[in-house]
Amino acid sequence: MPRLFVAIRPPPAVREALLGAMGGIDGARWQDDEQLHLTLAFVGEVGSAQARDLTGALEEADSPAFALEAAGVGHFERKGLPTAVWARVPLTEPLARLQRRVERACRRVGLEPEKRGYRPHITLARLPRSAGPIGDWLAQHGTLRAGPWEVEGFTLYESVLRPDGAHYSALVDYEF
């Protein structure tokens, strides 16, 4: 079964700036250029019929073009241990509207909505338990800025998990 997600891919100049912020946390698994994206909805594993239905439903998640930027950094934790560091993307009204439209498309084909509130970000590194401290990295990159860039669409991706990490393939591009 395909493992899917819907995301916005930043342009090369933004990805280059994000790649430049990577490094400095021992043991971190830094993302590569192919993996840099802003998730709108994580779909998960779905059957081929539901994936086909989702492909059609996402066509209705239209939006006018809008600007985004990465501004600052943050991290996720589980049980008091950091699990990832990321570049923050401010939640603008156009982004929130698009994300809600994508979520509605997912619900229309029977997919469960995400239980957690939407927190836009671009993951820069995954942190295993053995990763070094992140405080210095967060302080050094707290003023990170990348963009702005014009968002003119989004993409449905398939994620294939391999021993060396997730590999993403664009399945359908949706242009505004």
Side-chain angles (χ1 to χ4, degrees), residues 18 21 70-75 85-89 122 124 134 137-145:
L18 297 175
V73 295
H75 71 286
V85 293
W86 40 262
R88 184 175 76 83
V89 176
I122 301 170
L124 301 180
I134 64 171
W137 185 89
L138 291 171
Q140 179 182 358
H141 297 287
T143 59
L144 174 74
R145 284 212 140 9

Side-chain angles (χ1 to χ4, degrees), residues 25-123:
I25 301 174
D26 291 338
R29 290 190 321 266
W30 297 99
Q31 303 290 84
D32 62 24
D33 182 76
E34 166 197 311
Q35 296 170 313
L36 295 176
H37 65 274
L38 169 64
T39 301
L40 294 169
F42 178 74
V43 176
E45 292 185 356
V46 297
S48 57
Q50 198 170 32
R52 225 177 7 263
D53 291 346
L54 178 61
T55 299
L58 286 170
E59 290 178 9
E60 297 174 29
D62 200 16
S63 171
F66 60 93
L68 282 182
E69 69 175 333
V73 295
H75 71 286
F76 290 126
E77 290 184 0
R78 185 175 303 125
K79 297 182 181 176
L81 294 174
T83 58
V85 293
W86 40 262
R88 184 175 76 83
V89 176
L91 182 58
T92 62
E93 182 51 37
L95 175 58
R97 189 177 320 113
L98 175 61
Q99 193 275 332
R100 287 190 304 266
R101 289 175 178 170
V102 167
E103 282 287 334
R104 273 196 301 272
C106 291
R107 283 195 307 272
R108 273 198 304 277
V109 300
L111 297 167
E112 290 292 318
E114 177 66 48
K115 305 263 188 280
R116 298 172 291 190
Y118 182 60
R119 188 184 312 179
H121 66 280
I122 301 170
T123 299

Side-chain angles (χ1 to χ4, degrees), residues 5-10 15 37 40 54-62 98 102 151-158 168-176:
F5 66 95
V6 181
I8 296 169
R9 178 97 161 122
R15 296 193 316 266
H37 65 274
L40 294 169
L54 178 61
T55 299
L58 286 170
E59 290 178 9
E60 297 174 29
D62 200 16
L98 175 61
V102 167
V151 176
E152 298 175 337
F154 61 90
T155 302
L156 176 64
Y157 287 93
E158 180 175 9
Y168 305 143
S169 299
L171 299 179
V172 182
D173 290 319
Y174 297 89
E175 295 181 8
F176 302 148

